[in-house]
Amino acid sequence: SASRARRPYIITMLRSIVFGACVAATSAFAPMAGLPKAQTRAVAVSSPSMQMSPSVPFLKTPEALDGTMAGDIGFDPLGFSSLTDIRFLREAEIK
């Protein structure tokens, strides 16, 4: 009889936990309007050898991918263009 008396308390507690978990999960995707934005500065890259890839911004643009071929946007994260002729790679991609 003591466990039956505690049952509504346990159900209420479980509902509160589930509700709290749902609120926490949805608040992760909500924009944070109250906090000030951090000041950032863009750094200009002046050296052509340090040109960053537009498709993978944290990698350098491969030398063989200079934009002369159709669809060339500098995407070569594994560096195949530095190992093999780019025309061979293009042909293998089309097949």
Side-chain angles (χ1 to χ4, degrees), residues 26-44:
T26 56
S27 67
F29 298 105
M32 298 173 62
L35 297 176
K37 293 184 179 180
Q39 299 265 339
T40 58
R41 294 187 312 168
V43 177

Side-chain angles (χ1 to χ4, degrees), residues 1 12 16-17 21 23 34 38 40 44 48 52 59-60 63 66 69-70 75 79-80 83-84 89 92:
S1 102
T12 304
S16 299
I17 291 171
V23 169
T40 58
M52 301 308 276
L59 294 177
K60 295 178 187 175
E63 292 180 15
D66 55 359
M69 300 185 89
F75 184 76
F80 289 130
L83 301 173
T84 311
L89 295 172

Side-chain angles (χ1 to χ4, degrees), residues 2-3 5-17:
S3 66
R6 292 180 59 192
R7 192 170 278 164
Y9 172 74
I10 293 173
I11 291 174
T12 304
M13 181 63 80
L14 287 175
R15 285 182 180 167
S16 299
I17 291 171

Side-chain angles (χ1 to χ4, degrees), residues 38-95:
Q39 299 265 339
T40 58
R41 294 187 312 168
V43 177
V45 178
S46 61
S47 173
S49 63
M50 290 296 293
Q51 187 70 20
M52 301 308 276
S53 173
S55 61
V56 188
F58 53 87
L59 294 177
K60 295 178 187 175
T61 301
E63 292 180 15
L65 300 177
D66 55 359
T68 56
M69 300 185 89
D72 177 14
I73 57 170
F75 184 76
D76 186 20
L78 299 178
F80 289 130
S81 63
S82 62
L83 301 173
T84 311
D85 183 24
I86 191 70
R87 294 175 296 193
F88 173 76
L89 295 172
R90 178 59 58 102
E91 184 179 346
E93 181 182 0
I94 292 174
K95 288 182 180 182

